[in-house]
Amino acid sequence: MRHAGRGLLITGTLLAVLGIVLAAGAFWTVRSDYTMVTFSGGSMEPTYAPGDRIFIARTSGAKVRRGDVVLFGVPERFEGKPVVKRVIGLGGDHVVFDGTRLTVDDAPLKEPYLKDGEVDGGHGPYDVKVPAGQMFLLGDHRANSYDSRYFASGDPGTVPVTAVRGRVLDDATAPVVLGLGVLLGVVLALAGAVCTLVGGLKRRRRPAPPALIAHPVA
């Protein structure tokens, strides 16, 4: 009985430690690398609709690429609230809308994500040379997006890459798997606690004394 209790104590301790490490590591990674926001407004339809919950990978603007959908914040714009838009041009890019088509460095931009295929939504032509360290951002619903086209002053509508808070994930597999890792870690830790408790009780339980055998008296 005592040997069985010792085995359960060892198994329980190992499971508890493993579970705590797994849960804490996965939780820390989720908290530090990802966040989730509820999308509001219709500027990114049909890609994201109002009420959609989207996962954001925390990243610096230096890692942003053209075509990424980013979460950013500019204190003097959008009432200081974080906004989601698509990166159309980066530092050095020449973004031009001639009234018919949108080009980046003279190459037509393919945009299958646009709402109803509308490239501009009635704003009109623009010609922007994106300064170094800046981004030119547009919404996917061009007729319903307040974006870089409407900020003509100060680096014509562009946003500094330092304003980026994260990149919207197309695939939520990574944060979901990490969330399952937290759950698995908690289950392992609880199982370890139960094994440790049972093992401790078994080790404390003393074996019953041997029964006395009566011998006849001659």
Side-chain angles (χ1 to χ4, degrees):
M1 184 71 72
R2 293 176 67 86
H3 288 298
R6 181 181 180 186
L8 283 173
L9 281 173
I10 294 173
T11 300
T13 300
L14 291 175
L15 284 176
V17 171
L18 177 62
I20 292 171
V21 170
L22 178 60
F27 180 76
W28 175 258
T29 301
V30 170
R31 286 293 303 271
S32 61
D33 293 353
Y34 302 96
T35 188
M36 185 171 63
V37 300
T38 300
F39 195 81
S40 61
S43 68
M44 288 299 294
E45 290 182 314
T47 309
Y48 305 109
D52 283 352
R53 305 186 77 178
I54 54 178
F55 283 99
I56 308 290
R58 301 182 194 275
T59 185
S60 68
K63 297 182 179 180
V64 169
R65 298 292 177 263
R66 190 187 299 127
D68 286 347
V69 178
V70 297
L71 177 73
F72 67 97
V74 180
E76 63 272 18
R77 300 178 188 175
F78 310 107
E79 300 179 349
K81 298 177 181 179
V83 179
V84 172
K85 302 292 181 187
R86 189 178 298 275
V87 178
I88 300 300
L90 294 170
D93 289 340
H94 189 196
V95 181
V96 177
F97 176 66
D98 60 8
T100 303
R101 64 174 187 167
L102 179 62
T103 62
V104 178
D105 295 335
D106 297 323
L109 188 62
K110 296 180 179 180
E111 299 186 281
Y113 42 75
L114 290 177
K115 173 72 171 179
D116 300 326
E118 179 57 60
V119 179
D120 185 59
H123 175 271
Y126 50 87
D127 186 328
V128 177
K129 182 71 173 180
V130 184
Q134 301 285 115
M135 306 175 295
F136 189 83
L137 303 160
L138 298 176
D140 291 352
H141 189 179
R142 298 288 157 80
N144 188 34
S145 178
Y146 193 45
D147 47 42
S148 288
R149 296 170 295 172
Y150 294 90
F151 297 100
S153 62
D155 294 326
T158 60
V159 173
V161 294
T162 53
V164 172
R165 299 184 182 180
R167 178 175 55 84
V168 178
L169 294 176
D170 295 326
D171 185 357
T173 299
V176 169
V177 169
L178 287 169
L180 292 175
V182 174
L183 180 61
L184 177 60
V186 171
V187 171
L188 288 175
L190 290 175
V194 171
C195 287
T196 302
L197 178 61
V198 174
L201 292 175
K202 285 183 176 292
R203 284 182 63 82
R204 289 181 181 181
R205 187 178 302 168
R206 295 181 178 180
L212 296 176
I213 301 176
H215 295 281
V217 178

